[in-house]
Amino acid sequence: MDKVAVTVFYVFALLCLAIAANQGILAALSLWGVGVTAYLYLHLIRQHQLLDWLKAPQNKTLPDASGHWASIFDELNGFIQRYQSQTSELSDSMSRFKNAVSVLPDGVVIFNQYQQVEWCNPAAETHLGLNLWRDQDQKLNAGVHHAEAVKYLEAERYDAPLKIKSKSNPNVDLELKVYTFGAQQKIMLSQDISQIQKLDAMRRDFIANVSHELRTPLTVVGGFLETLQDIPNAVSSQYLHHIALMEQQTQRMRHLVDDLLTLSRIESDSNVPENNEINMQGLLERVLSNAKGLSLGKHKITHDFAPNLCLIGAEDEIYSACSNLLNNAIRYTPEKGHIHVMWKATDAGATYSVMDTGIGIPKEHIGRLTERFYRVDKSRSRDTGGTGLGLSIVKHILMRHQAQLKVDSVEHEGSTFSILFPKARIKNR
Ligand code: ADP
């Protein structure tokens, strides 16, 4: 209680005592009753003012008061002011954030937990056919907005980005990514990748053109070298060794050019690969017999192929991927090593795997094996006729068939390279 209230209480109590002494207890009690009633009435008025203010605090100022009520009103006033300044700071940073994101060349769309548009920037409006004013708090609609983007958002499989054309300009290539945050909220980003695509196409064309141009001279040089070796006494015996080496290196360059051409063909082919029903048992037997030619009986090669388990895909590409893995196993397994090739059905689809007891691969290299020209041991790869492009080609073929490459390896013990094909590509005959 504040001092004034305490003083008033004591003065009033003394007054009541004086009246009790002079005019009797009844008169004093009546005065006490009047005093208490007035006190309660004052409290009721303050309570009413407080309730009235609480209903719409932003429209009214707090009433003036004294005593306890003054402290309550002061506290509330302080609280309101702090709240208002925090709200205004928050709304300032929100508008700063929106202004910053609005000038980004990338599109940004924020969705609430009901997949309704909460906010988007102008780039997203152009890319996806949105209009913030019209679409706020609405779900995306395939009839109005970018149909492929709507499908991608609804499918809820965001591990791989989606490549689409801009809704407003079909010459603009976009990459779409979606991230989930908070309580099932989502953020969709659209990035213009036309320039990157153009540069990538130029790089691929350049490699393809150079490889193509190199092919003819290499064939001519290789042919002459071969002929020189075949004609008796055409070259003096002291140079025969050099000619053989030259022919060997020409052969290597021809393999390199062939692999570069294969890679650029597969990379630039955005069409869906042919979907033929491949008799895998037959295909793998051809792969196996070709590999036995490479091994020249130096390895023990066993196999286990599930009969009647067919694959849907492009036969030449699948042949190339399977034979690449088996040829690698032969090249990186010392003589007398064991190689086991398997083709079997699994719960997820089917798996082709090649196990070897070869040199193995240190852990830190495994993640990089499919990069172009990445070799664990450059000289060994060259000695065995490798170009460093085999696994890159395999990776691209697998991507085109929605398959995955899995590598397990222990250095000096051996490796297992597996291709995991999805169920959608498997057919039982
Ligand atoms: P390369 O023509 O050099 O063999 P690849 O792309 O086929 O190129 O393979 C990349 C690298 O992966 C190889 O240089 C080799 O170091 C490693 N590698 C591939 N297969 C095996 C294997 N079965 N055992 C050990 N190392 C392997």
Side-chain angles (χ1 to χ4, degrees):
M1 244 191 249
D2 69 318
K3 277 185 192 159
V4 180
V6 172
T7 317
V8 169
F9 174 78
Y10 281 128
V11 169
F12 187 67
L14 281 174
L15 186 69
C16 286
L17 284 175
I19 287 180
N22 283 333
Q23 312 216 346
I25 192 88
L26 210 61
L29 278 177
S30 309
L31 183 63
W32 182 255
V34 170
V36 170
T37 310
Y39 183 68
L40 286 176
Y41 181 65
L42 196 72
H43 274 296
L44 276 175
I45 289 175
R46 293 286 183 239
Q47 261 185 26
H48 180 75
Q49 286 172 330
L50 179 61
L51 270 176
D52 205 30
W53 174 81
L54 280 173
K55 280 179 197 157
Q58 66 276 28
N59 300 336
K60 291 182 186 148
T61 49
L62 274 164
D64 288 330
S66 59
H68 256 340
W69 285 101
S71 320
I72 292 173
F73 289 167
D74 280 350
E75 280 297 322
L76 275 171
N77 223 357
F79 173 74
I80 292 294
Q81 271 167 16
R82 281 196 301 279
Y83 171 76
Q84 277 171 347
S85 95
Q86 277 170 4
T87 314
S88 109
E89 263 173 42
L90 205 67
S91 106
D92 281 355
S93 29
M94 197 63 198
S95 13
R96 275 202 303 278
F97 165 76
K98 284 182 179 171
N99 288 341
V101 179
S102 291
V103 297
L104 283 182
D106 296 347
V108 178
V109 192
I110 299 170
F111 296 92
N112 63 19
Q113 66 266 47
Y114 309 111
Q115 310 236 10
Q116 295 160 332
V117 175
E118 218 168 79
W119 186 81
C120 71
N121 67 352
E125 293 187 316
T126 321
H127 289 168
L128 307 169
L130 279 153
N131 178 326
L132 184 58
W133 181 78
R134 179 194 64 198
D135 298 327
Q136 199 162 33
D137 299 328
Q138 305 291 323
K139 283 188 166 189
L140 289 194
N141 176 343
V144 181
H145 308 115
H146 201 300
E148 285 172 76
V150 178
K151 217 164 119 192
Y152 181 64
L153 181 77
E154 285 170 357
E156 302 208 331
R157 283 207 306 269
Y158 310 131
D159 12 322
L162 179 73
K163 288 198 175 125
I164 52 170
K165 301 271 179 206
S166 166
K167 176 102 175 159
S168 62
N169 181 354
N171 294 323
V172 173
D173 292 302
L174 296 174
E175 187 171 84
L176 213 66
K177 288 179 188 157
V178 175
Y179 300 95
T180 306
F181 68 99
Q184 281 307 302
Q185 286 158 278
K186 286 175 186 147
I187 183 162
M188 180 185 265
L189 305 177
S190 56
Q191 189 190 10
D192 183 346
I193 52 161
S194 320
Q195 203 57 26
I196 304 173
Q197 299 267 85
K198 219 178 261 171
L199 287 174
D200 217 32
M202 274 166 68
R203 178 187 59 80
R204 279 199 306 263
D205 286 351
F206 175 74
I207 295 175
N209 290 338
V210 170
S211 311
H212 207 74
E213 292 300 322
L214 283 174
R215 212 179 198 178
T216 319
L218 279 174
T219 312
V220 174
V221 174
F224 276 129
L225 290 170
E226 224 171 283
T227 317
L228 273 180
Q229 289 177 93
D230 289 347
I231 303 172
N233 303 324
V235 183
S236 98
S237 60
Q238 72 185 106
Y239 296 120
L240 266 179
H241 174 66
H242 297 102
I243 297 287
L245 268 181
M246 282 161 74
E247 208 238 318
Q248 208 181 19
Q249 291 306 314
T250 318
Q251 184 76 3
R252 245 198 84 213
M253 279 174 79
R254 281 208 324 243
H255 283 154
L256 191 60
V257 164
D258 285 347
D259 275 3
L260 279 170
L261 280 169
T262 308
L263 191 58
S264 78
R265 182 176 49 79
I266 295 173
E267 262 189 322
S268 55
D269 187 357
S270 54
N271 296 329
V272 181
E274 285 169 51
N275 279 333
N276 300 325
E277 191 178 310
I278 308 168
N279 167 5
M280 282 300 275
Q281 203 175 5
L283 181 142
L284 292 175
E285 261 148 25
R286 277 185 282 133
V287 169
L288 203 65
S289 107
N290 184 41
K292 282 182 178 160
L294 187 70
S295 159
L296 298 169
K298 291 177 190 155
H299 304 92
K300 178 181 169 198
I301 304 179
T302 54
H303 70 275
D304 183 6
F305 300 152
N308 312 323
L309 187 62
C310 295
L311 183 74
I312 311 293
E315 187 155 348
D316 53 342
E317 293 183 21
I318 297 298
Y319 180 92
S320 164
C322 294
S323 88
N324 226 306
L325 297 191
L326 183 52
N327 292 353
N328 274 354
I330 288 164
R331 289 167 45 223
Y332 296 104
T333 301
E335 278 184 34
K336 298 204 166 58
H338 180 197
I339 294 160
H340 185 65
V341 196
M342 222 158 60
W343 168 241
K344 60 167 187 183
T346 60
D347 289 345
T351 299
Y352 166 77
S353 61
V354 181
M355 280 169 271
D356 66 53
T357 55
I359 58 170
I361 305 159
K363 230 195 218 144
E364 64 272 20
H365 295 283
I366 291 182
R368 302 193 57 190
L369 295 180
T370 55
E371 290 174 21
R372 288 183 192 91
F373 297 113
Y374 191 86
R375 288 119 150 182
V376 178
D377 177 346
K378 275 200 168 57
S379 60
R380 185 175 184 120
S381 159
R382 266 192 226 111
D383 291 348
T384 57
T387 60
L389 291 172
L391 292 181
S392 282
I393 295 175
V394 171
K395 181 181 94 176
H396 278 92
I397 292 176
L398 300 196
M399 266 164 49
R400 284 162 58 76
H401 288 82
Q402 298 79 44
Q404 279 177 351
L405 179 69
K406 188 168 165 264
V407 184
D408 297 299
S409 188
V410 179
E411 203 179 355
H412 309 305
E413 287 188 18
S415 314
T416 302
F417 281 72
S418 311
I419 303 179
L420 316 179
F421 290 101
K423 234 185 198 129
R425 290 210 165 262
I426 304 303
K427 200 162 189 184
N428 275 298
R429 274 255 145 232

